[in-house]
Amino acid sequence: MIRFVRYTVEDSTPQWGIVNNDNRITDIEGDVFTHYKVTPNVVDMDRVTILPPCEPTKIVCVGLNYSDHAKEMKLEKPADPVIFLKPVSALIPHMEDIIYPESSQRVDYEAELALVMKNTVKDISEDMVDINVLGYTCFNDVTARDLQAKDGQWTRAKSFDTFAPCGPYLVSNINPEKQPIRLYLNGELKQESNTSKLIFKIRRVVSFISKVMTLNRGDIISTGTPAGIGPMKRGDKVEVDIGNVGKLTNYVR
Ligand code: MG
């Protein structure tokens, strides 16, 4: 397992590093997507500001990818993955605030496992997926549930600025489909499942999306949320906690 992190120290330019077991970061030179070199420089985690784990051109999300969630939404299990987009302008890192919009009275959390594309690809088969994915991260598919119901389509409900918290790390060399996934609201467990319960597995999802649109290096795909979705209030602390992938923390304001 390798845990990459993108960060700044004070006002430095964005930097990539590897998180060590002692919670310090070893700087790397170059680009985690192609070639990089480990440097001797080490920095303490508490001195850095963590950035989103990539700079995507788009965020593609899968709806209804756990059968328990499809059931709670009173929707049929779909025959093919249901996909939608979130704008890149909604992306925020670990520890940044989710801003509660005035036009909504119900803003929900959705804990999700996301992946980051390593290469730009189009039309790939399921066997070509693994070598084109760089790693995995935590994602909170924040949703204005009342506006989702009112509009009938999901763009407004899913797209407010700050509605795509993602991070803190980009983790490679793990089995993404054997990870416990949990969401805590103010420390209380609200969602609990395992990524082994995905209806459409990661290879299927990525291959399927690549047959619709070109996936660019750094693009994020979020794989859907399990049952237990629910509302957040201003002042809440929300944490997406996924096995070896990490724990993404944000506050609502
Ligand atoms: Mg979702």
Side-chain angles (χ1 to χ4, degrees), residues 62 84 110 112 141 158 224-225:
V62 183
F84 62 93
E110 292 189 4
E112 304 194 2
D141 176 17
K158 297 282 191 180
T225 199

Side-chain angles (χ1 to χ4, degrees), residues 62-242:
V62 183
L64 302 177
N65 205 13
Y66 288 82
S67 43
D68 51 359
H69 175 56
K71 205 187 254 176
E72 77 179 345
M73 297 295 282
K74 300 192 171 62
L75 293 164
E76 289 287 306
K77 246 203 264 186
D80 283 318
V82 175
I83 59 172
F84 62 93
L85 294 169
K86 269 174 118 92
V88 168
S89 45
L91 187 64
I92 56 168
H94 178 62
M95 295 307 287
E96 199 162 300
D97 290 342
I98 297 164
I99 297 168
Y100 203 113
E102 283 190 12
S103 53
S104 174
Q105 270 69 57
R106 170 143 178 182
V107 174
D108 283 10
Y109 52 77
E110 292 189 4
E112 304 194 2
L113 172 74
L115 61 89
V116 174
M117 296 305 298
K118 184 177 198 296
N119 300 308
T120 295
V121 295
K122 167 73 182 159
D123 243 327
I124 55 170
S125 63
E126 293 187 25
D127 332 340
M128 292 303 288
V129 168
D130 289 358
I131 58 163
N132 287 298
V133 170
L134 179 60
Y136 299 87
T137 188
C138 303
F139 192 85
N140 189 346
D141 176 17
V142 179
T143 304
R145 197 67 67 198
D146 50 349
L147 303 183
Q148 185 181 28
K150 191 169 163 190
D151 288 359
Q153 58 95 353
W154 300 359
T155 304
R156 181 164 63 139
K158 297 282 191 180
S159 300
F160 286 93
D161 285 0
T162 75
F163 271 26
C166 185
Y169 312 128
L170 180 53
V171 181
S172 67
N173 298 348
I174 56 162
N175 182 344
E177 288 177 343
K178 276 198 174 147
Q179 302 293 329
I181 177 165
R182 297 189 178 90
L183 185 131
Y184 295 93
L185 190 67
N186 303 317
E188 193 184 319
L189 182 64
K190 294 287 190 183
Q191 290 184 281
E192 185 172 31
S193 189
N194 193 289
T195 57
S196 62
K197 295 183 181 164
L198 286 170
I199 298 171
F200 300 108
K201 304 297 181 194
I202 288 166
R203 288 181 187 151
R204 171 84 195 278
V205 164
V206 177
S207 167
F208 179 85
I209 297 170
S210 81
K211 290 177 181 171
V212 179
M213 61 188 89
T214 299
L215 289 166
N216 292 315
R217 172 172 291 166
D219 281 355
I220 297 173
I221 296 176
S222 195
T223 59
T225 199
I229 57 161
M232 302 182 287
K233 302 182 308 296
R234 292 173 180 86
D236 282 351
K237 177 187 191 185
V238 62
E239 295 166 292
V240 176
D241 187 354
I242 306 178

